[in-house]
């Protein structure tokens, strides 16, 4: 079975595999960096929601 490569019939499969691995490492690194930044912000948002819920519960129970 002959594989179809974007570079044509004389492509080097090992070079293509290394490019793929390098691209995947870069992609995974970007996702890790995204979650590293977003996780503290998400915790702050959760704390705000909890405080607002407790406040609303206290106000609602007194009404």
């Amino acid at each position: 079975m002959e594989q179809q490569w974007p570079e044509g019939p004389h492509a080097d499969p090992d070079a293509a595999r290394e490019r793929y691995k390098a691209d995947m490492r870069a992609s995974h690194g970007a996702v890790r960096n995204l979650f590293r930044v977003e996780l503290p912000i998400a915790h702050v948002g959760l704390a705000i929601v909890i405080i607002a819920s407790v406040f609303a519960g206290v106000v609602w129970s007194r009404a």
Side-chain angles (χ1 to χ4, degrees):
M1 180 169 143
E2 189 174 322
Q3 293 183 350
Q4 299 293 323
W5 297 94
E7 294 89 0
H10 303 292
D12 182 13
D14 293 329
R17 188 171 297 112
E18 286 305 316
R19 281 194 309 273
Y20 171 78
K21 288 180 181 178
D23 289 343
M24 291 304 291
R25 280 192 298 270
S27 175
H28 289 159
V31 170
R32 279 193 304 271
N33 190 30
L34 172 74
F35 284 115
R36 188 175 303 131
V37 170
E38 295 293 327
L39 202 55
I41 295 170
H43 283 98
V44 170
L46 178 63
I48 291 170
V49 167
I50 290 172
I51 291 169
S53 298
V54 169
F55 177 75
V58 169
V59 170
W60 189 271
S61 68
R62 292 178 186 228

